[in-house]
């Protein structure tokens, strides 16, 4: 089943979901205040946040007025247009050697996403090595090794409590020696308000930049689709610390639809690159703005 | 994010122009209600819960006394706060204990909520009460979940029962048998994270429940969860009839509105909160603290507690006297800096300060700055410390050189000292309680 199919399945299972509310909003007969209010409510219910919802609704109002739109159905198309615009980005294709570092708060799905990414790259014929730079959480390396086995890639690990930057250093040395295309770096979950942990993350990035300056280095934030408005702070603070290149939105197979990426998009130019739609190794799919919005509206 | 970090700020802004009028119109109250709505939504309280809540508060606020009140902003914030506390259940609720041992606690929740870590914390908490807990590993799906529980168990010195990746229902039953035979009580069962819409896995939980007859089924929820928290909690509750909720990762800067939504929708008490990655980072849940956190007003009560621990009584009395007599000097300021360090450093404290909660991370606050401030003060002569007014151009230069800092830094420190003195004197007017009415921090950030 493709991304869209899985999303639809999730939606069908939900009683109280955003698309249903939007459906009701759009079944209103006139484009009056009540219509816009219910629209705003629907966006709020999808974690889009107050500021972004207001902005989107105002934008829609203006365009409806400019284009003299009268029918709710046409307004719906317009809304989609606005939503797609706000999450669609041009992304530079990867070049190799490539280093992909995943960061994020605790439990969002970083390690699982590393396993899935390893599969995506090996399927494209790339050689992959994984750096187990979460040396903090209990059994984190063991977890990653299971994923390494599933994807058939090597995992460089140290003992619990070791310096994560040293793990990355070793993974890079190994990649250099073997001419590996892709280095995937799993990091420990950290709350963005913990200054010392953010410093540790910066240090890891410095090691990559120093040891492999010629590499294409992408830093992604892994974000759980159930996250509320705190996701905006996460994106801001992680961006500030390590200059993120994008987001991986996980757990979209649940009933939350990840609307917070709309709120993030209002403040930061941060594209969503992939979405996680399950716990199996193939459950990572390149992000498609149209599919995402279709699942929302 | 809004310009106003907390509800009190928003209210004050709305009402500031009306101060002298002393009386509010219905329209102005309505405007205030809109701000309350925004504050709650930004805190991730579910929009439907917000709707009901604002309606209830409006009714109260439109009552006579508020309209006539001289301090309507504070009045309204108080109403909102009281209503929130009431909604979340006013007292801390203890864990149930079975008549027949062993007492079984079963954990459940979405993937990544923090169940395994919480199992370890709970085990330690119960062990500290003189009990002999057993952890049972029923997450047979996630790679290395069993190892994780084993490591966590070892860290807190609690035995872990595991039987590999078999049938969770059988493992749970065997775990209980093991506990009975070896005198373990209570038993904590770790289960795999699962989606509430995963029928097969939800059924598995029902089966485990039937098998082990838990005294408590605890739903573990990430405090950063957004609007979907109600759907998740409602489904888990309807499927399993959970007995309580645990909020995790509250050491982050989330406002944690999910707590309110969950409580409103399930009616089940929130029993604990997780506040860090270490096994001892577990706190009984305090509804009143959560209320002010959701409103962005910081956890004033915790701050007061911490402050009380850090300052001795004499110290506090001495300080009050100095403030009263306006003889607070740089020497005293130096002492303050040490106290702040004792309070667990600025990082943990800032979180709790009204007006700063939620701003963490954006603001550059670091321990190093405290150290530099200390060095600057230590480079002053005793006379200068007691009488900062005499520190002019040439003295500033000397102090900067002596402390290896710049004149700007010395200037900054002196300015901060002045702000602190002003803030302190405001605080002491109402004792420590004066903090409660405090309207955020002086401009330019926290004065250290
Ligand atoms: N349903 C669903 N579950 C997911 C998805 N991605 C990850 N998970 C689950 O979420 C849980 C946490 O995933 P991890 O990969 O361990 O998360 P992490 O960010 O590495 O966690 P820490 O390293 O502990 O911070 C696991 O149970 C995963 O199986 C997804 O897309 N959908
Ligand atoms: Mg991990």
């Amino acid at each position: 089943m493709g991304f869209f199919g899985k999303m639809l399945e999730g939606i069908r299972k939900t009683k109280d979901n955003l698309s249903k509310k939007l459906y009701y909003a759009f079944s209103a007969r006139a484009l009056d205040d009540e219509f816009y209010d219910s629209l705003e409510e629907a966006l709020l219910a999808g974690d889009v946040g107050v500021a972004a919802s207001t902005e989107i609704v105002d934008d829609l109002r203006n365009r409806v007025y400019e284009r003299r739109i009268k029918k709710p159905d046409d307004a719906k198309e317009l809304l989609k247009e606005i939503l797609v615009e706000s999450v669609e980005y041009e992304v530079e294709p990867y070049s190799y050697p490539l280093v992909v570092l995943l960061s994020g708060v605790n439990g969002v799905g970083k390690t699982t996403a590393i396993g899935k990414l390893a599969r995506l790259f090996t399927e494209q014929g790339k050689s992959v090595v994984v750096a187990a730079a979460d040396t903090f959480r209990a059994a984190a390396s063991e977890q990653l090794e299971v994923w390494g086995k599933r994807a058939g890639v090597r995992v460089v690990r140290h003992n619990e409590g070791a310096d994560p930057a040293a793990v990355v250093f070793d993974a890079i040395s190994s990649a250099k020696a073997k001419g590996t295309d892709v280095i995937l770096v799993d990091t420990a979950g950290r709350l963005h308000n913990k200054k010392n942990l953010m410093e540790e993350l910066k240090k890891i990035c410095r090691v990559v930049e120093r040891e492999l300056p010629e590499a294409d280095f992408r830093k992604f934030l892994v974000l759980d689709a159930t996250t509320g408005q705190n996701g905006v702070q996460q994106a801001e603070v992680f961006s500030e610390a390590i200059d993120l290149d994008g987001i991986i939105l996980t757990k979209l197979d649940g009933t939350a639809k990840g609307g917070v990426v709309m709120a993030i998009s209002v403040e930061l130019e941060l594209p969503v690159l992939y979405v996680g739609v399950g716990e199996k190794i193939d459950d990572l799919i390149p992000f498609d703005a149209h599919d995402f919005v279709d699942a929302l509206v | 994010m809004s310009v106003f970090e907390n509800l009190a700020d928003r209210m004050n802004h709305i009402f500031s122009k009306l101060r002298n009028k002393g009386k509010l119109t219905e329209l102005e109250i309505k405007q205030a209600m809109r701000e309350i709505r925004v504050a709650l939504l930004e805190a991730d309280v579910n929009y439907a819960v917000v709707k009901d809540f604002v309606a209830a508060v409006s009714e109260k606020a439109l009552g006579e006394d508020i309209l006539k009140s001289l301090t309507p902003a504070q009045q309204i914030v108080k109403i909102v706060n009281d209503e929130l506390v009431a909604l979340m259940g006013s007292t801390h609720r203890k864990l149930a204990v079975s008549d027949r041992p062993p007492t079984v606690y079963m954990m459940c929740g979405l993937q990544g909520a923090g169940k395994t870590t919480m199992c370890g914390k709970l085990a330690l908490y119960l062990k500290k009460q003189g009990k002999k807990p057993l952890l049972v590993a029923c997450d047979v799906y996630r790679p290395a979940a069993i190892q994780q529980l084993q490591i966590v168990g070892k860290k807190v010195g609690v035995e872990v029962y595991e039987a590999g990746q078999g049938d969770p229902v059988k493992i749970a039953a065997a775990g209980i048998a093991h506990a009975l035979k070896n005198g373990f009580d209570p038993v904590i069962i770790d289960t795999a994270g699962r989606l509430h819409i995963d029928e097969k896995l939800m059924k598995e939980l029902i089966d485990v429940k039937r098998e082990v007859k838990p005294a408590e089924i605890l739903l573990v929820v990430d405090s950063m969860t957004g609007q979907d928290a109600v759907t998740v909690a409602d489904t888990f509750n309807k499927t399993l009839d959970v007995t309580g909720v645990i909020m995790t990762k509250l050491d982050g800067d989330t406002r944690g509105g999910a707590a309110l939504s969950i409580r409103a929708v399930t009616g089940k008490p929130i029993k604990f909160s997780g506040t860090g990655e270490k096994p001892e980072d577990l706190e009984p849940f305090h509804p009143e603290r959560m209320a002010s956190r959701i409103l962005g007003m910081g956890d004033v009560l915790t701050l007061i507690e911490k402050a009380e621990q850090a300052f001795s009584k004499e110290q506090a009395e001495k300080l009050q006297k100095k403030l009263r007599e306006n003889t607070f000097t740089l020497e005293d300021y130096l002492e303050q800096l040490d106290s702040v360090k004792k309070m667990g450093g600025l990082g943990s404290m800032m979180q709790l300060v009204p007006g700063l909660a939620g701003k963490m991370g954006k603001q550059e606050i670091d321990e190093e700055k405290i150290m530099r401030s200390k060095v600057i003060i230590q480079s002053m002569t005793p006379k200068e410390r007691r009488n900062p007014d005499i520190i002019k151009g040439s003295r500033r230069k000397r102090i900067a050189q002596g402390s290896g800092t710049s004149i700007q830094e010395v200037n900054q420190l002196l300015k901060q000292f002045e702000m602190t003195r002003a803030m302190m004197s405001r605080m002491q007017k109402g004792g420590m309680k004066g903090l409660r009415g405090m309207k955020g921090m002086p401009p330019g950030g926290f004065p250290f």
Side-chain angles (χ1 to χ4, degrees):
Chain A
M1 202 186 305
F3 167 54
F4 193 54
K6 278 192 180 160
M7 291 258 251
L8 283 180
E9 191 181 50
I11 283 169
R12 246 182 269 121
K13 281 182 188 160
T14 329
K15 273 179 274 153
D16 190 29
N17 63 48
L18 178 59
S19 56
K20 211 166 204 174
K21 282 197 204 68
L22 285 172
Y23 176 79
Y24 288 126
F26 284 114
S27 58
R29 255 166 297 156
L31 299 179
D32 52 10
D33 279 351
E34 206 178 309
F35 165 79
Y36 289 109
D37 281 352
S38 56
L39 190 59
E40 190 196 24
E41 198 162 272
L43 292 169
L44 289 172
D47 287 317
V48 175
V50 180
S53 297
T54 312
E55 200 162 298
I56 290 165
V57 171
D58 286 349
D59 196 0
L60 182 66
R61 254 182 216 271
N62 285 336
R63 294 197 205 187
V64 161
Y65 177 77
E66 276 164 19
R67 301 193 201 171
R68 298 171 196 227
I69 284 167
K70 295 275 177 330
K71 282 189 293 200
D73 269 349
D74 296 339
K76 180 176 178 169
E77 283 313 304
L78 250 182
L79 176 70
K80 278 191 185 176
E81 197 180 297
I82 292 169
L83 294 176
V84 166
E85 272 170 26
S86 58
V87 290
E88 198 169 44
Y89 293 89
E90 287 272 333
V91 179
E92 184 100 350
Y94 297 134
S95 65
Y96 302 88
L98 170 70
V99 181
V100 177
L101 175 135
L102 300 193
S103 64
V105 300
N106 312 77
V108 287
K110 292 174 293 298
T111 307
T112 310
I114 291 274
K116 295 170 177 175
L117 278 175
R119 166 58 62 89
L120 276 186
F121 284 112
T122 50
E123 270 175 354
Q124 291 167 20
K126 303 292 176 199
S127 52
V128 175
V129 63
V130 174
D134 179 357
T135 56
F136 179 78
R137 211 209 63 199
S141 300
E142 286 81 358
Q143 184 187 357
L144 195 59
E145 271 185 343
V146 173
W147 282 109
K149 250 186 223 122
R150 285 181 188 171
V153 302
R154 16 189 245 290
V155 176
V156 173
R157 61 171 287 190
H158 290 185
N159 290 332
E160 194 179 319
D163 178 5
V167 181
V168 174
F169 182 91
D170 280 0
I172 292 175
S173 309
S174 154
K176 276 184 186 162
K178 297 201 165 106
T180 310
D181 303 315
V182 183
I183 302 169
L184 301 175
V185 182
D186 185 27
T187 64
R190 66 199 74 224
L191 293 172
H192 48 287
N193 59 344
K194 310 241 158 135
K195 208 167 180 230
N196 54 338
L197 295 181
M198 296 309 280
E199 286 302 323
E200 179 193 274
L201 198 58
K202 285 189 203 169
K203 186 175 158 200
I204 295 173
C205 291
R206 281 199 297 272
V207 168
V208 175
E209 278 151 12
R210 192 185 63 217
E211 297 304 316
L212 216 55
E214 72 278 18
D216 183 2
F217 185 20
R218 306 281 171 119
K219 289 154 279 184
F220 297 148
L221 176 74
V222 181
L223 188 70
D224 185 327
T226 56
T227 313
Q229 296 313 296
N230 191 251
V232 180
Q233 258 114 281
Q234 290 173 27
E236 274 176 8
V237 180
F238 273 95
S239 258
E240 220 166 89
I242 60 167
D243 192 17
L244 293 172
D245 298 288
I247 291 174
I248 297 181
L249 188 62
T250 61
K251 308 186 194 174
L252 264 179
D253 48 329
T255 49
K257 289 295 159 250
V260 69
V261 299
M262 295 276 170
I264 292 172
S265 228
V266 168
E267 304 210 1
L268 305 163
E269 301 267 302
L270 214 49
V272 180
L273 277 302
Y274 304 94
V275 294
V277 291
E279 298 187 81
K280 288 196 282 301
I281 198 160
D282 297 314
D283 293 334
L284 189 77
I285 294 164
F287 177 75
D288 181 299
H290 289 274
D291 285 352
F292 180 72
V293 167
D294 277 340
L296 272 177
V297 196
Chain B
M1 282 289 115
S2 152
V3 200
F4 305 109
E5 286 295 330
N6 70 54
L7 188 61
D9 281 352
R10 291 171 196 273
M11 293 298 137
N12 279 316
H13 178 75
I14 297 177
F15 295 132
S16 61
K17 294 178 224 111
L18 312 163
R19 276 287 144 61
N20 303 325
K21 274 205 283 176
K23 214 179 146 180
L24 291 181
T25 64
E26 265 194 56
L27 191 76
E28 283 146 4
I29 297 243
K30 279 219 177 95
Q31 203 185 337
M33 292 306 132
R34 262 202 295 276
E35 293 295 338
I36 293 169
R37 175 177 174 267
V38 172
L40 294 175
L41 285 170
E42 276 176 359
D44 290 321
V45 179
N46 182 266
Y47 77 98
V49 175
V50 171
K51 222 177 189 176
D52 292 348
F53 183 81
V54 170
V57 173
S58 291
E59 205 169 294
K60 284 223 163 126
L62 283 168
E64 279 292 299
D65 30 340
I66 301 271
L67 290 173
K68 284 186 197 137
S69 163
L70 286 172
T71 52
Q74 275 88 334
Q75 287 272 106
I76 290 187
V77 170
K78 187 175 180 312
I79 292 178
V80 174
N81 196 65
D82 291 351
E83 286 288 308
L84 279 187
V85 173
L87 225 158
M88 273 186 297
S90 0
T91 50
H92 169 62
R93 303 273 286 275
K94 289 211 171 69
L95 285 176
V97 177
S98 299
D99 301 334
R100 243 183 353 162
T103 294
V104 179
Y105 301 130
M106 175 178 160
M107 315 289 268
C108 63
L110 293 182
Q111 293 97 336
K115 289 173 294 302
T116 307
T117 310
M118 189 48 71
C119 282
K121 291 179 181 181
L122 213 52
L124 179 65
Y125 174 84
L126 293 162
K127 190 180 148 188
K128 277 186 185 161
Q129 295 179 351
K131 295 182 176 147
K132 193 185 166 195
L134 176 73
L135 288 161
V136 179
C138 286
D139 179 354
V140 299
Y141 306 105
R142 214 207 63 201
I146 298 171
Q147 278 116 299
Q148 187 187 351
L149 191 67
Q150 279 172 326
I151 294 171
V152 164
K154 203 164 169 195
K155 250 178 219 160
V156 298
V158 169
E159 187 166 315
V160 175
Y161 179 85
E162 60 100 1
Q165 299 187 302
D167 172 10
V169 182
K170 286 193 185 128
I171 297 171
I176 307 255
H178 180 83
L180 271 173
K181 202 168 122 206
N182 299 286
F184 289 103
D185 183 25
V187 175
I188 302 166
I189 298 183
D190 186 22
T191 64
R194 64 204 70 214
L195 288 175
H196 51 296
I197 48 172
D198 187 329
E199 276 160 30
K200 193 172 141 248
L201 286 183
M202 289 305 277
K203 162 125 198 326
E204 178 193 285
L205 286 182
I206 297 175
D207 294 341
V208 172
K209 175 185 173 182
R210 190 175 299 137
E211 184 68 41
V212 305
K213 302 194 178 53
E216 297 257 12
I217 300 176
L218 299 164
L219 176 65
V220 181
V221 183
D222 187 326
S223 61
M224 290 175 276
T225 312
Q227 297 287 316
D228 203 41
V230 292
T231 321
V232 173
D234 194 38
T235 316
F236 268 97
N237 189 40
K238 284 201 173 117
T239 312
L240 293 166
D241 191 17
V242 304
T243 57
V245 177
I246 298 180
M247 303 300 297
T248 62
K249 309 177 200 172
L250 270 165
D251 48 328
D253 59 3
T254 175
R255 295 262 173 93
L260 181 68
S261 310
I262 291 170
R263 170 73 197 185
V265 167
T266 64
K268 297 297 164 67
I270 298 167
K271 300 209 163 174
F272 291 98
S273 45
T275 54
E277 297 194 73
K278 291 192 297 303
E280 56 272 22
D281 295 331
L282 176 79
E283 286 177 17
F285 185 78
H286 296 285
E288 67 287 353
R289 295 178 186 181
M290 196 67 214
S292 48
R293 180 177 181 132
I294 288 174
L295 296 177
M297 301 200 291
D299 193 341
V300 176
L301 291 168
T302 306
L303 178 66
I304 291 170
E305 259 176 27
K306 281 204 178 177
E308 278 168 357
Q309 280 165 15
F311 292 93
S312 70
K313 210 171 157 218
E314 299 97 87
Q315 230 180 330
E317 273 164 14
K318 202 174 91 193
L319 184 66
Q320 282 197 0
K321 186 161 172 278
K322 291 197 160 177
L323 288 166
R324 219 168 25 242
E325 293 164 1
N326 205 12
T327 52
F328 182 74
T329 67
L330 277 162
E331 266 165 3
D332 304 312
Y333 187 57
L334 195 62
E335 230 175 82
Q336 297 301 305
L337 292 177
D338 284 330
S339 296
V340 166
K341 272 192 78 176
K342 255 199 276 173
M343 282 162 83
L346 281 174
S348 73
M349 206 178 98
M350 284 301 125
Q351 282 282 103
L352 308 170
V353 174
L356 274 186
K359 266 192 201 160
M360 281 295 297
K362 284 182 209 156
Q363 209 142 332
E364 282 301 306
I365 305 157
D366 57 56
E367 311 274 318
E368 225 182 279
K369 217 164 157 192
I370 298 190
M371 281 311 296
R372 293 177 86 85
S373 299
K374 281 182 71 170
V375 176
I376 293 175
I377 298 176
Q378 277 157 355
S379 305
M380 296 174 183
T381 65
K383 198 172 152 203
E384 285 165 343
R385 287 186 219 169
R386 261 175 264 130
N387 194 2
D389 291 340
I390 62 169
I391 309 178
K392 295 271 158 13
S394 64
R395 285 182 194 261
R396 291 187 187 200
K397 200 166 158 194
R398 194 206 73 237
I399 294 166
Q401 271 165 357
S403 57
T405 58
S406 64
I407 295 188
Q408 285 94 311
E409 276 177 281
V410 176
N411 289 342
Q412 208 183 352
L413 174 101
L414 289 168
K415 210 187 275 163
Q416 285 166 345
F417 164 71
E418 274 313 318
M419 287 202 287
T420 306
R421 182 150 68 174
M423 188 186 86
M424 292 265 177
S425 87
R426 204 151 38 119
M427 256 168 69
Q428 78 94 214
K429 275 178 199 140
M432 265 302 187
K433 281 205 187 79
L435 260 179
R436 255 184 248 243
M438 208 163 76
K439 298 165 196 90
M441 285 287 143
F446 199 79
F448 287 115

